[in-house]
């Protein structure tokens, strides 16, 4: 049977960023900064096009580095979407990067931004 379904947005975004920086969906126990974390927070579908809410968190040892990493991640995703080479089609910032302290990793500086990312459904065969 052939079906259409939403993409795994967090993994697609992680993959797009991984060509340019260290990116995770789940932060491993042992990690070296700097890196970004990608989280999906829902979304909606209209006319077979999904719009996802995605969080990008840049972690680094220094404030400026974490902020720049987060801003670079947004720029990379915009570029990837404009090239139309992945399922990503459009990236819009819902919030600009902001310092967002992490109680689990107080040794690192974290900046967070929230994006709306538009993507097409994928077609797959299932058995």
């Amino acid at each position: 049977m052939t079906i259409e379904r939403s993409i795994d947005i967090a993994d697609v975004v992680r993959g797009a960023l991984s060509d340019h920086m260290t990116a995770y969906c789940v932060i491993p126990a042992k990690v070296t900064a700097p890196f970004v974390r990608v989280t999906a927070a829902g979304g909606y579908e209209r006319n077979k096009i999904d719009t996802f809410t995605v969080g990008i968190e840049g972690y680094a040892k220094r404030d400026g580095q974490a902020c720049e990493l987060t801003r670079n991640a947004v720029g990379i995703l915009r570029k990837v979407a404009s090239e139309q080479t992945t399922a990503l089609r459009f990236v819009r910032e819902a919030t600009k990067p902001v310092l967002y302290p992490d109680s689990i990793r107080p040794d690192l500086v974290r900046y967070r931004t929230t994006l709306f990312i538009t993507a097409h459904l994928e077609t797959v065969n299932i058995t």
Side-chain angles (χ1 to χ4, degrees):
M1 171 188 307
T2 301
I3 64 168
E4 289 183 318
R5 65 182 185 191
S6 297
I7 62 170
D8 180 348
I9 190 65
D11 194 52
V12 170
V13 168
R14 182 206 53 75
L17 293 173
S18 289
D19 289 340
H20 309 280
M21 59 183 59
T22 303
Y24 302 107
C25 290
V26 177
I27 301 172
K30 289 189 175 194
V31 66
T32 302
F35 63 90
V36 294
R37 178 179 177 217
V38 180
T39 56
Y44 63 91
E45 181 229 331
R46 182 170 22 176
N47 299 327
K48 296 189 177 187
I49 297 179
D50 286 333
T51 299
F52 297 94
T53 303
V54 176
I56 303 290
E57 297 171 329
Y59 285 81
K61 295 183 182 202
R62 295 185 328 275
D63 187 272
Q65 186 182 25
C67 182
E68 182 177 36
L69 182 69
T70 306
R71 291 182 298 121
N72 286 348
V74 173
I76 290 165
L77 293 172
R78 284 184 172 149
K79 179 70 171 166
V80 167
S82 74
E83 292 172 348
Q84 304 278 307
T85 56
T86 67
L88 306 180
R89 293 295 179 256
F90 187 74
V91 176
R92 182 170 52 102
E93 283 180 291
T95 62
K96 294 294 184 180
V98 63
L99 182 62
Y100 195 68
D102 187 340
S103 60
I104 296 172
R105 293 299 308 260
D107 58 316
L108 297 175
V109 179
R110 174 177 65 169
Y111 270 73
R112 179 177 174 83
T113 187
T114 304
L115 308 174
F116 294 131
I117 299 179
T118 303
H120 288 287
L121 300 175
E122 66 182 357
T123 302
V124 296
N125 293 313
I126 62 171
T127 55

